[in-house]
Amino acid sequence: MPTVANRVANVLLGALLAAGCAAYAAEADGARVWAAVGLGAGGVVLAVRGYRAGVRCEAERLVVRGFLRTRVVPRAAVTGVTGLPAVRWVSARGRSRWTPVTAFAVVSGETGAARARKRQNTTRLRRWAAGGRGT
């Protein structure tokens, strides 16, 4: 589970976009109001998805929530976890796929504690993935 600081940081992008669009819409007229409202609604969606971004390892599946989409991967399909980090897996049709885990990505300027927690979570994800292959 992400820390409160990570959740706040993830929410900020969408919240700032929504607030900026609301301020613009208050002063705009015509079609620009509706464009600003639509873009602002997108900011609200980004804020909510940013808050919920993360990974949930369940007994038989992995749920990766990102800013734009949620991917559910069967545990047996997972073949590994990269350094990005991203989950490598094989689709039901045999196609190699990968899903980035943006919630665990290390970025410059973050605190050492946040970086350590992300690395710890990535390690836990790798252990979970290895358990699904019987190794």
Side-chain angles (χ1 to χ4, degrees):
M1 178 182 292
T3 64
V4 173
N6 285 116
R7 287 188 188 268
V8 169
N10 288 346
V11 168
L12 279 178
L13 175 66
L16 291 174
L17 176 62
C21 288
Y24 181 78
E27 298 295 323
D29 59 353
R32 291 181 183 187
V33 170
W34 295 111
V37 168
L39 194 58
V44 170
V45 170
L46 275 178
V48 170
R49 292 206 50 94
Y51 180 82
R52 297 186 71 196
V55 175
R56 190 172 66 235
C57 299
E58 299 175 353
E60 298 299 321
R61 67 184 190 159
L62 176 71
V63 180
V64 181
R65 290 188 184 276
F67 283 94
L68 300 178
R69 76 182 307 177
T70 298
R71 174 79 71 173
V72 178
V73 181
R75 185 175 191 167
V78 175
T79 59
V81 179
T82 70
L84 183 58
V87 176
R88 290 193 181 277
W89 56 284
V90 178
S91 71
R93 294 183 178 178
R95 184 175 169 198
S96 294
R97 308 288 303 243
W98 70 281
T99 299
V101 183
T102 55
F104 296 168
V106 176
V107 295
S108 64
E110 68 186 355
T111 66
R115 183 171 289 141
R117 184 171 173 113
K118 288 178 179 182
R119 286 186 181 140
Q120 179 185 30
N121 286 338
T122 302
T123 300
R124 290 172 59 199
L125 178 59
R126 282 191 176 106
R127 278 197 303 263
W128 178 89
R133 293 191 306 271
T135 58

